[in-house]
Amino acid sequence: MNDYIHVITTQPNRYNTFKAFGQTKEYGENYVIDRIAVPEHKGGMLDQARSFFVFYREAMKRVKHEDFDLVYASSSRLFTAFLGKQIATSKKSLLYLDIRDIFVDTMKDVLKNRKILQVPVVVFARMVEKYTFSNATHINLVSEGFKEYFRKYRHPYYTYFTNGIDDVFLTMKCSDRKNVQYPWIITYAGNMGSGQGLEKVIPLAAQKLGNNYLFRLIGDGGTKQLLQQKLEELRITNVELLNPVSRKELIEYYDQSTFLFLHLNDLDAFKKVLPSKLFEYGAFDKPIIAGVGGYAAQFIRDNLSNYILFRPTNVDDFVNQMKGYSLSFEERVEFKKKYSRDSIIKEMADSILNICKFNHYFQ
């Protein structure tokens, strides 16, 4: 076997308040990993565009003298998929896309109050999207909520491999039901941006629930400062804002928690998505609080147990359900078995290899 994999990614760069580094170049028996350093950003559109430009330029340099049978691009933003399309076209290779977000929908919602900017951005994004998706060999959609949107692109073959649960979360011990401490701790860990809309829920919910509950919010993002300002305006004392932490520390915080919290802003774009955080939370036996709608809400009803599901940004719905909830812990055995990342990734890898084998057979 002469198969060889060249992985091109970035150095960790999501948060400027949390530093982590990998080897710039890592070699294995039949693979190499290139980690490109990109400029730090705070989640703003211009910052992200600048970072992507650097990544695009450096990635194209690294593949200039190489040939590929297949290009795989995993994209939570449209332009990483676009980069994959550019490389696949230049190398006349197959293209396998793993799509985690619908960029056009997101821009329509994020810029809905800035029409002068929304129109050109959306028009441009649609052009890039059509070029990128129309003739892809294969597209994986992490959320079946995207299915209807992608019907217009008929050439690719589709699969629906979701996010999964990492092995480190599958071995968690069950909570000590006899040692639940007060105040009850509600933990959120992740990005704090316009997509999460935490500032629309947390300050008022914390105020109404009072000091029997402690909100612990771990992460960073574009609206963290706005959240901080609202907490200060309301003189909220039962909310902790923490910077991003290592995975080991994060698991310790999860273990201390009574509830695990998730929220998506009330925007049309988010009615199709399936947050990866649900899989991480679902590995624990803690009750999950989720302010989501659309496909994510239906996924929770169909696949999870022991949860509070409230309407996004609706503080009263959240608070009323919290006050009426009888605390319990429940290991989600079937969920963990079904959504193990290891098994999902193996199936996805098989689908990639089958495309390559099929193509070689007909050459």
Side-chain angles (χ1 to χ4, degrees):
M1 293 290 289
N2 295 317
D3 296 337
Y4 191 77
I5 297 173
H6 187 174
V7 178
I8 302 175
T9 185
T10 66
Q11 288 284 359
N13 70 310
R14 187 169 189 179
Y15 304 119
N16 66 349
T17 51
F18 182 75
K19 308 296 183 185
F21 298 96
Q23 295 177 22
T24 301
K25 203 127 185 169
E26 182 179 340
Y27 292 94
E29 185 177 341
N30 66 336
Y31 68 86
V32 61
I33 302 175
D34 265 315
R35 294 184 178 90
I36 297 170
V38 298
E40 293 180 353
H41 65 81
K42 296 182 179 180
M45 287 177 61
L46 289 178
D47 280 351
Q48 291 186 59
R50 186 163 55 98
S51 291
F52 176 76
F53 176 76
V54 171
F55 179 62
Y56 179 95
R57 182 188 65 206
E58 295 300 318
M60 294 301 284
K61 285 181 184 178
R62 283 159 172 76
V63 302
K64 186 175 181 179
H65 300 295
E66 297 190 55
D67 291 314
F68 304 103
D69 295 302
L70 179 141
V71 173
Y72 170 95
S74 182
S75 184
S76 61
R77 294 286 184 268
L78 172 62
F79 291 94
T80 311
F82 170 76
L83 171 59
K85 169 66 173 176
Q86 289 283 85
I87 296 172
T89 299
S90 68
K91 305 298 179 180
K92 296 182 174 58
S93 64
L94 306 173
L95 177 63
Y96 190 117
L97 298 176
D98 181 41
I99 302 301
R100 299 170 175 273
D101 197 3
I102 299 176
F103 185 75
V104 170
D105 275 6
T106 302
M107 288 299 98
K108 284 164 66 176
D109 278 337
V110 169
L111 300 174
K112 66 181 178 181
N113 296 321
R114 302 166 68 185
K115 294 294 183 183
I116 195 169
L117 187 58
Q118 183 201 55
V119 173
V121 168
V122 169
V123 169
F124 175 68
R126 280 182 174 147
M127 292 169 59
V128 174
E129 180 190 88
K130 185 176 181 180
Y131 165 78
T132 303
F133 297 153
S134 292
N135 293 302
T137 310
H138 186 113
I139 295 179
N140 181 68
L141 304 175
V142 298
S143 169
E144 288 199 43
F146 297 159
K147 185 185 291 187
E148 187 64 32
Y149 182 89
F150 276 82
R151 286 191 189 279
K152 56 194 171 190
Y153 301 116
R154 299 189 178 188
H155 180 271
Y157 181 79
Y158 289 92
T159 50
Y160 302 92
F161 298 117
T162 64
N163 286 292
I165 307 167
D166 290 330
D167 286 347
V168 67
F169 294 114
L170 292 174
T171 56
M172 296 296 101
K173 295 180 180 178
C174 291
S175 301
D176 184 354
R177 292 155 173 76
K178 297 179 181 179
N179 192 33
V180 177
Q181 299 181 357
Y182 291 94
W184 285 354
I185 300 173
I186 302 172
T187 297
Y188 169 81
N191 194 45
M192 298 180 184
S194 58
Q196 290 71 41
L198 298 177
E199 72 282 356
K200 297 182 178 181
V201 175
I202 298 298
L204 284 174
Q207 185 182 60
K208 292 186 176 188
L209 287 171
N211 291 328
N212 287 331
Y213 298 85
L214 171 66
F215 287 82
R216 179 174 285 158
L217 313 180
I218 306 167
D220 205 349
T223 62
K224 186 175 183 179
Q225 187 173 1
L226 177 59
L227 173 61
Q228 177 74 62
Q229 289 172 356
K230 293 200 171 185
L231 292 171
E232 291 173 357
E233 287 172 8
L234 294 174
R235 298 182 179 180
I236 303 299
T237 59
N238 59 330
V239 176
E240 289 182 356
L241 285 181
L242 304 178
N243 286 331
V245 297
S246 68
R247 176 171 282 189
K248 181 181 179 181
E249 292 174 284
L250 181 61
I251 290 173
E252 291 175 358
Y253 279 124
Y254 283 160
D255 191 49
Q256 296 168 14
S257 304
T258 319
F259 300 88
L260 301 175
F261 181 87
L262 169 73
H263 185 260
L264 291 178
N265 215 337
D266 190 18
L267 301 173
D268 287 342
F270 299 134
K271 292 177 181 176
K272 302 182 182 80
V273 303
L274 183 57
S276 60
K277 190 61 64 175
L278 279 175
F279 298 92
E280 193 171 291
Y281 286 176
F284 292 82
D285 65 349
K286 315 282 185 178
I288 295 171
I289 305 168
V292 297
Y295 181 73
Q298 190 58 51
F299 180 88
I300 290 171
R301 295 187 191 101
D302 292 343
N303 293 278
L304 289 166
S305 57
N306 194 20
Y307 57 81
I308 292 172
L309 184 61
F310 70 96
R311 296 186 297 278
T313 74
N314 192 316
V315 175
D316 289 336
D317 187 21
F318 170 29
V319 170
N320 290 338
Q321 289 198 59
M322 279 297 297
K323 289 181 176 178
Y325 175 78
S326 180
L327 182 64
S328 65
F329 300 95
E330 178 184 331
E331 187 177 7
R332 302 175 179 93
V333 177
E334 289 303 313
F335 182 80
K336 291 197 289 185
K337 182 178 178 182
K338 183 176 181 180
Y339 291 105
S340 161
R341 188 185 297 277
D342 187 54
S343 61
I344 291 172
I345 288 301
K346 284 179 180 176
E347 288 185 51
M348 193 175 201
D350 286 341
S351 78
I352 294 171
L353 292 173
N354 286 337
I355 291 171
C356 293
K357 290 175 183 176
F358 184 82
N359 187 59
H360 284 305
Y361 181 81
F362 285 98
Q363 282 183 342

